[in-house]
Amino acid sequence: MIKKAYAGLTALVCLLSATSGHADQPTPWGMTMQPAATPIMRENTWFEHYTLWFIVPITLMVLLLLIVVCVRFRASANPVPSKTSHNTVIEVIWTVGPVLVLLFLAVPSFNLLTAQLTLPENPDVTIKATATQWQWNYEYEGSGETPVAFDSYLLKDPDRASAGKTDLATYPRLLAVDNELVLPVNQTVRVLVTSAPTDVIHSFAMPSFGIKIDAVPGRLNETWFRAEREGLFYGQCSELCGKDHAFMPIAIRVVSEDKYRQWLTAAAKDLPGAYKTLMAQTGPTAPSVDLAENTAR
């Protein structure tokens, strides 16, 4: 019951924050995860807070025990040390206690892993993301007679003006890309992730969605998400993949289903024109623009 109430409160906070101009941006000395944009990320956030109720008391208890041992059993205060070899009660406590703590952590952890790894049947959209050094290629499965596929590369500063992405608040340096992955809100998206056959291992990670999965050459991995609010979300490759690993961002623009369908139809014929139309509808000057990005690490 408490878990459901907390999840509902988190969803309400995310909904209210989505109405502001530039929400979810990292703040100096930020200590929390990004606001959740998917049910899985809400579960991740809940689990993080849940584990703190165990980690903090255990840390303080260990610190207290260290202080007690240092003060009470120092050489000057205890010149004749005890020769006690064991204590049955203490050994039972320090065996049973950690086992109970691990059980309380394991059960919700397994539930969360099951939710993450259980792919929903009949997803609304299927995307294939192929990684290469150092960009992403996206392909929309079943997008019609003319398939929609494109490369997504780090947006360079000289290209910002021509791309209409001069606003650094919405299109941050080292996170903005030339072509965002466009997806519909409130629909289940399956992502097939792989790496080029002759390439290295990469990792597709989107913090606000609570997903991170390796892109392995010759192997097709799957993940999924269901974005619950519109906005522009940023992630990065999270597997060390070479000298330009830090310059391999991921950008996902979540829009309404109508705008998504219009963009998908237009992108099959004119990809740059489709992006310009979509940006005019959802860009910084449009109402309720939401921004979520991760800090470069």
Side-chain angles (χ1 to χ4, degrees), residues 3 7 54 113 121 143 146 191 249:
K3 181 177 178 181
F54 294 90
L113 285 173
E121 297 182 0
S143 54
T146 304
V191 186

Side-chain angles (χ1 to χ4, degrees), residues 71-84:
V71 173
R72 183 176 178 182
F73 298 103
R74 68 188 190 277
S76 60
N78 192 48
V80 181
S82 172
K83 296 183 180 181
T84 303

Side-chain angles (χ1 to χ4, degrees), residues 128-143:
K128 183 179 180 182
T130 304
T132 60
Q133 293 177 317
W134 287 270
Q135 65 179 23
W136 294 90
N137 173 268
Y138 299 117
E139 181 179 351
Y140 289 73
E141 301 290 335
S143 54

Side-chain angles (χ1 to χ4, degrees), residues 98 164 260:
Y260 167 73

